Amino acid sequence: MDVFIVPILEDNYAYVIQSGDMVGVVDPGEAGPVVAYLEQHNLKPDWIINTHHHWDHVDGNADLIEKYGCKVAAPNECKGDKDVILQDGEDFKFGDIAFQIFLTAGHTMGHIVLFDPTYRILFSGDTLFVMGCGRLFEGTHADMFKSMQVIKSFPPETAIYCGHEYTAGNAKFATHIMPDSADIKSRAMEVIGQGCTMPTMLATELATNPYLIAKSIEDFKKYRTAKDNF
Ligand code: ZN
Ligand code: FE
């Protein structure tokens, strides 16, 4: 599977993906830059894939459907017509691969992530960011801590593509909350000022992401709350 990064809005990423003769767009929060990319590369999307219902991940759907007649695969919480409902424990066939769908409640209650076991690629939406995780708009700390364990269950060599470029801010917070970690210190130096930091490797996140390092709901809650007030 091939993944192309399309920066949209202020700090969101949409992803144009290709497998076999299938073309998809993950989380088109706006259509303009996605259409520009598709036209430049002579691609027509077959599928829109959404991770959760927030506007900055779905607001480009309507324009893409109108222009290309593409289908929509999204979790049930997303409004509008869906050709496939992405549900926990199910597979979503896409070209030569099949995504495994996992519910990761917390940021929203119906948020899903997509894992491609063939190429070991994860689309994490707003559940996991580089050195960070999504804010808890709908779920509890226990929900999101459970979702972090889902992320940790993937192979360490998994490449993760996140919904936002929040890396610089997350790196500053991680350095603040875990000042004794040499891994975090060196990772922060690497990513601050880097520009686009996608994808990140799960192995790197396991060593430098405070929310994955957290060993209990209590630790997780402590870090998440501190970040909300940072
Ligand atoms: Zn969101
Ligand atoms: Fe978002």
Side-chain angles (χ1 to χ4, degrees), residues 12 52 54 56-57 107 125-126 129 163-164 166:
N12 279 76
H52 66 295
H54 284 157
D56 58 316
H57 301 256
H107 180 70
D126 287 358
F129 300 125
H164 289 263
Y166 287 159

Side-chain angles (χ1 to χ4, degrees), residues 9-213:
L9 301 168
E10 283 278 294
D11 49 30
N12 279 76
Y13 289 121
Y15 297 104
V16 172
I17 62 176
Q18 214 172 355
S19 176
D21 55 3
M22 282 289 161
V23 176
V25 183
V26 179
D27 281 356
E30 66 171 336
V34 174
V35 170
Y37 183 90
L38 292 166
E39 289 188 340
Q40 208 178 354
H41 296 84
N42 253 309
L43 297 170
K44 284 193 169 59
D46 303 285
W47 285 97
I48 292 167
I49 299 166
N50 299 121
T51 60
H52 66 295
H53 70 83
H54 284 157
W55 70 271
D56 58 316
H57 301 256
V58 304
D59 268 13
N61 282 22
D63 284 354
L64 293 175
I65 293 164
E66 190 182 300
K67 191 170 172 63
Y68 299 107
C70 44
K71 295 179 185 173
V72 178
N76 203 32
E77 68 168 18
C78 290
K79 293 185 186 71
D81 293 336
K82 293 172 275 287
D83 299 279
V84 166
I85 296 175
L86 299 175
Q87 277 177 308
D88 188 46
E90 295 192 349
D91 280 359
F92 172 60
K93 286 194 172 55
F94 179 82
D96 299 332
I97 64 121
F99 283 112
Q100 297 173 350
I101 309 305
F102 295 84
L103 177 71
T104 55
H107 180 70
T108 66
M109 282 315 282
H111 193 302
I112 59 94
V113 297
L114 300 108
F115 177 63
D116 161 14
T118 307
Y119 294 95
R120 294 180 171 165
I121 289 171
L122 178 74
F123 293 98
S124 67
D126 287 358
T127 293
L128 194 85
F129 300 125
V130 179
M131 302 181 91
C133 76
R135 280 176 185 270
L136 301 182
F137 286 111
E138 296 177 13
T140 62
H141 292 96
D143 291 328
M144 195 58 143
F145 180 71
K146 193 174 160 196
S147 296
M148 293 300 106
Q149 311 318 303
V150 172
I151 302 285
K152 285 164 82 164
S153 74
F154 299 121
E157 60 273 25
T158 299
I160 307 175
Y161 292 86
C162 314
H164 289 263
E165 182 63 51
Y166 287 159
T167 306
N170 287 341
K172 284 171 194 157
F173 173 73
T175 310
H176 161 81
I177 201 80
M178 295 182 170
D180 298 333
S181 166
D183 287 339
I184 288 177
K185 204 168 283 174
S186 67
R187 178 74 170 144
M189 278 171 55
E190 186 186 322
V191 294
I192 292 173
Q194 188 186 320
C196 178
T197 57
M198 302 305 140
T200 182
M201 298 305 286
L202 180 54
T204 306
E205 293 306 311
L206 291 172
T208 59
N209 188 314
Y211 308 99
L212 296 180
I213 293 169

